[in-house]
């Protein structure tokens, strides 16, 4: 199995049903350009080291859920940069940036909500025993502190610092993924000149070039006629004909 095809969407035909990828398929670059291997790979390794630092800080601060997201990002980056970026395809870069952007948006919303101050709550349940019954009273104490508060200990302040570092690291992930994607000379999505027109000249166009024209390309004009090397023929007309009713011919 070719390792370079693991992150290639054309290696999985089912993905092309949900992602509007270019029809070029095999014409896509199998390996990243030399500038990615020589220049951008250094920034990717630096980003990987930063993500490891963020993961360590989150675990020390007790943020297990956030640590799992950091592990996910670290593993993804490592897969792309190892073996001289063998698996750093445009599809991997696009999906990596998309996933990180979605998660980073939620973390940014959370961060903006606590910049003015963080609240902590604590519940106690003292039990009062009387002569005939036992009564339980629940007490919830809510405290509000500044985002950074020296009186709350190192763990509280480390959690605040990691919330900022996590958002910044994800912004760097998206930026680097965008820059690296644009370093490729090809694109996953078709250009305007390469797009297959919809309506009267879509699937019919491909059938004519495959069967009637012996593999020769046919020029398609959006109009009433389709012209090619063998001349012009009438194009298909949508929404024409006669209506039919089930059982009408019986």
């Amino acid at each position: 199995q070719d390792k370079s095809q693991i992150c290639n969407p054309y290696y999985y035909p089912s993905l092309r049903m949900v992602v509007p990828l270019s029809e070029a398929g095999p014409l896509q670059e199998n390996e990243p350009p030399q500038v990615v291997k020589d220049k951008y790979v250094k920034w990717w390794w630096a980003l990987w080291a930063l993500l490891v630092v963020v993961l360590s800080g989150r675990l020390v601060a007790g943020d297990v859920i956030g640590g799992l997201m950091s592990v996910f990002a670290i593993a993804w980056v490592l897969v792309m940069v190892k073996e001289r970026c063998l698996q750093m395809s445009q599809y991997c870069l696009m999906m990596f940036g998309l996933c990180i952007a979605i998660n980073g948006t939620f973390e940014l919303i959370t961060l903006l909500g606590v910049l003015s101050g963080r609240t902590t709550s604590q519940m106690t349940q003292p039990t009062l025993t009387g002569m005939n019954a036992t009564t339980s009273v629940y007490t919830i104490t809510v405290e509000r502190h500044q985002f950074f508060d020296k009186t709350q200990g190192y763990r509280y302040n480390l959690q605040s610092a990691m919330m900022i570092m996590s958002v910044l690291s994800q912004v760097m992930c998206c930026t680097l993924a965008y820059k690296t994607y644009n370093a490729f000379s090809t694109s996953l999505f078709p250009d305007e000149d390469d797009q297959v027109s919809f309506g009267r000249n879509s699937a019919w166009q491909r059938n004519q070039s495959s069967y009637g024209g012996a593999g020769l390309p046919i020029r398609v004009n959006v109009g009433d006629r389709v012209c090619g090397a063998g001349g012009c023929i009438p194009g298909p007309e949508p929404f024409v004909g006669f209506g039919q009713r089930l059982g009408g011919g019986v």
Side-chain angles (χ1 to χ4, degrees), residues 1 5 13 16-18 41 56 71 86 94 97 103 109 147 150 157 159 161 171 176-178 181 226 235 239 247-248:
Q1 182 180 2
Q5 300 297 320
R16 300 185 64 183
M17 300 176 62
V18 295
V41 67
S56 302
V71 170
L86 179 63
M94 181 189 68
N103 182 71
I109 294 174
F147 190 68
K150 296 181 180 179
N157 293 279
Q159 290 175 349
V171 171
L176 188 55
Y178 174 77
Y181 178 92
V226 178
F239 307 110

Side-chain angles (χ1 to χ4, degrees), residues 91-111:
Y91 180 75
C92 273
L93 290 169
M94 181 189 68
M95 296 305 300
F96 174 77
L98 180 62
C99 293
I100 295 298
I102 294 175
N103 182 71
T105 300
F106 288 107
E107 291 195 11
L108 178 61
I109 294 174
T110 303
L111 176 62

Side-chain angles (χ1 to χ4, degrees), residues 7-250:
C7 290
N8 187 349
Y10 296 95
Y11 190 74
Y12 309 97
S14 58
L15 291 178
R16 300 185 64 183
M17 300 176 62
V18 295
V19 180
L21 300 177
S22 171
E23 296 289 337
L27 299 180
Q28 300 288 322
E29 297 183 45
N30 292 327
E31 293 186 4
Q34 196 64 31
V35 64
V36 174
K37 298 180 180 180
D38 296 338
K39 178 181 178 180
Y40 288 97
V41 67
K42 301 176 183 179
W43 291 102
W44 279 103
W45 279 117
L47 178 62
W48 181 83
L50 175 62
L51 293 174
V52 172
V53 173
V54 173
L55 171 62
S56 302
R58 280 180 153 181
L59 294 180
V60 173
D63 185 8
V64 179
I65 302 299
L68 293 177
M69 297 304 301
S70 296
V71 170
F72 173 77
I74 290 172
W76 199 329
V77 172
L78 183 61
V79 169
M80 291 193 297
V81 300
K82 70 178 183 179
E83 299 181 10
R84 289 184 56 81
C85 305
L86 179 63
Q87 299 182 22
M88 188 177 287
S89 64
Q90 290 176 287
Y91 180 75
C92 273
L93 290 169
M94 181 189 68
M95 296 305 300
F96 174 77
L98 180 62
C99 293
I100 295 298
I102 294 175
N103 182 71
T105 300
F106 288 107
E107 291 195 11
L108 178 61
I109 294 174
T110 303
L111 176 62
L112 294 177
V114 298
L115 281 178
S116 59
R118 294 174 54 188
T119 57
T120 58
S121 59
Q122 183 179 4
M123 184 178 64
T124 58
Q125 182 185 356
T127 301
L128 304 178
T129 304
M131 297 180 58
N132 299 323
T134 300
T135 304
S136 297
V137 179
Y138 296 88
T139 303
I140 300 177
T141 304
V142 179
E143 297 181 356
R144 185 179 181 87
H145 302 277
Q146 296 181 355
F147 190 68
F148 287 102
D149 193 340
K150 296 181 180 179
T151 63
Q152 296 303 307
Y154 81 95
R155 174 167 291 186
Y156 176 90
N157 293 279
L158 182 61
Q159 290 175 349
S160 300
M162 286 300 104
M163 293 177 68
I164 298 177
M165 288 296 299
S166 176
V167 173
L168 291 178
S169 64
Q170 293 180 76
V171 171
M172 295 179 63
C173 287
C174 295
T175 303
L176 188 55
Y178 174 77
K179 292 289 186 179
T180 308
Y181 178 92
N182 289 331
F184 287 75
S185 60
T186 58
S187 176
L188 286 177
F189 302 96
D191 297 330
E192 292 183 359
D193 297 336
D194 298 332
Q195 289 180 353
V196 179
S197 58
F198 293 94
R200 65 178 64 188
N201 296 321
S202 56
W204 183 83
Q205 167 197 353
R206 294 191 292 271
N207 292 336
Q208 292 295 321
S209 61
S210 299
Y211 298 101
L216 296 177
I218 291 180
R219 178 180 179 83
V220 177
N221 299 323
V222 180
D224 296 333
R225 297 193 305 169
V226 178
C227 300
C232 297
I233 58 177
E237 294 292 338
F239 307 110
V240 296
F242 300 95
Q244 299 293 333
R245 179 177 298 177
L246 293 176
V250 180

